[in-house]
Amino acid sequence: LAFTPEGALYFTSPSRHAVYRLQPDGEGFFSAPELVSELPEAPFGIACAANEGACYVAAEQSIFRLAADGAVQLIYRDSEARWHGELHIGADGRLYVARNTAEGADLLSLERDGSDTRLIATGLRQVFGFTWHTDVLIIADAAESALYSLREGTLSRLAQLPAHSAPHGMLHYSSGAMAQWRDGIFVALSGSWNATTISGYAIYWLRPDQPSAYQQVIPSYFGWDAEALALRRLSFHPLQLMSIAADANGWLYAALAEGYIYRFRPR
């Protein structure tokens, strides 16, 4: 998921090898999805560059630049990658992308034309989502259900989440719309699709200075855990969360692997 400054919501569809766009309708909702472009590979992460009027898309082995009119330009290809995860534009203007290979997972940085590739973090098992909190990178290892921090080149384990919860999308929430969550990190937990116990299927929130005090904020009923919520059909289960974003109002949007997008806003 990625928003443009004008409020359009872009999302990727891996199964259709396509990128779609939802235009705001001026009444707080969106018009029907528009096909922006079809790609030669399954796309995953996407980030929109406000100063270019274009988006960058991370696919299986490639990164593409996608113009507003749907024109596609290949800027980077890695034959050793099995798939790339989320892609973001850093404060330095460079692209950052999660890279997964047969040996494990890395975090790369590169210029927007695909040049000057740098290895930022390595030694992870499987990475889809990451975000920044001030100048610290927070990375989710889905295979280990753990969060790591990267500060001045040093990778450290920040928090251990519930086993098999598979954290994927991440978001540093800076809006005051839901003040109780401001300046914290949202983590979308995909869930334990092949485990004997149900775990995840929720959105967690934490502050990096108190990472062990994480909270399950969506859904949140009477302190029930993931398994109890799933049995009562009060969670995302069996659908799997993949990405999370916020619009200019501070409202949250969550994308599910099965093709749904949910919006959460203050009452």
Side-chain angles (χ1 to χ4, degrees):
L1 297 177
F3 279 95
T4 68
E6 297 75 29
L9 176 59
Y10 280 71
F11 64 93
T12 59
S13 175
S15 63
R16 297 185 179 183
H17 287 206
V19 176
Y20 292 87
R21 175 172 55 216
L22 296 174
Q23 294 282 13
D25 64 1
E27 298 180 358
F29 296 95
F30 295 93
S31 58
E34 306 171 358
L35 174 64
V36 179
S37 187
E38 294 179 326
L39 301 173
E41 301 175 15
F44 298 102
I46 183 168
C48 295
N51 59 344
E52 290 185 47
C55 296
Y56 291 86
V57 181
E60 291 168 290
Q61 294 186 316
S62 306
I63 297 176
F64 300 94
R65 184 184 186 274
L66 179 61
D69 63 1
V72 176
Q73 176 189 1
L74 174 67
I75 64 165
Y76 175 79
R77 181 167 177 78
D78 181 353
S79 60
E80 294 184 0
R82 285 188 168 179
W83 54 276
H84 291 97
E86 285 194 341
L87 181 149
H88 298 293
I89 299 175
D92 56 4
R94 292 171 59 89
L95 303 179
Y96 289 77
V97 64
R99 171 181 177 264
N100 293 267
T101 69
E103 287 72 37
D106 309 313
L107 195 68
L108 301 180
S109 172
L110 60 158
E111 293 289 351
R112 297 190 197 183
D113 62 1
S115 65
D116 190 27
T117 304
R118 303 175 189 174
L119 184 63
I120 302 299
T122 190
L124 300 157
R125 289 183 60 194
Q126 185 185 93
V127 175
F128 183 84
F130 61 96
T131 190
W132 284 266
H133 187 273
T134 60
D135 60 344
V136 180
L137 263 168
I138 312 295
I139 306 168
D141 191 316
E144 295 187 357
S145 292
L147 302 183
Y148 288 83
S149 65
L150 182 68
R151 187 193 302 268
E152 297 179 351
T154 301
L155 191 67
S156 305
R157 183 169 289 217
L158 182 68
Q160 182 64 53
L161 300 175
H164 309 295
S165 59
H168 277 71
M170 300 184 71
L171 171 69
H172 174 215
Y173 188 71
S174 58
S175 173
M178 292 177 275
Q180 72 274 26
W181 295 333
R182 187 173 187 176
D183 202 33
I185 301 291
F186 284 110
V187 186
L189 303 183
S190 181
S192 54
W193 66 273
N194 62 346
T196 56
T197 59
I198 295 174
S199 179
Y201 301 100
I203 297 174
Y204 275 32
W205 179 89
L206 59 89
R207 290 182 59 90
D209 58 348
Q210 295 180 310
S212 61
Y214 54 76
Q215 307 170 31
Q216 179 174 308
V217 294
I218 300 172
S220 180
Y221 298 102
F222 312 110
W224 290 336
D225 62 16
E227 194 152 20
L229 288 167
L231 291 172
R232 292 169 171 82
R233 299 184 180 180
L234 293 173
S235 75
F236 294 102
H237 181 271
L239 308 180
Q240 295 183 292
L241 287 156
M242 292 301 296
S243 184
I244 187 167
D247 65 11
N249 297 313
W251 299 353
L252 296 178
Y253 294 73
L256 279 66
E258 291 76 12
Y260 298 92
I261 299 175
Y262 284 83
R263 178 170 72 180
F264 304 94
R265 59 182 182 177
R267 291 183 181 273

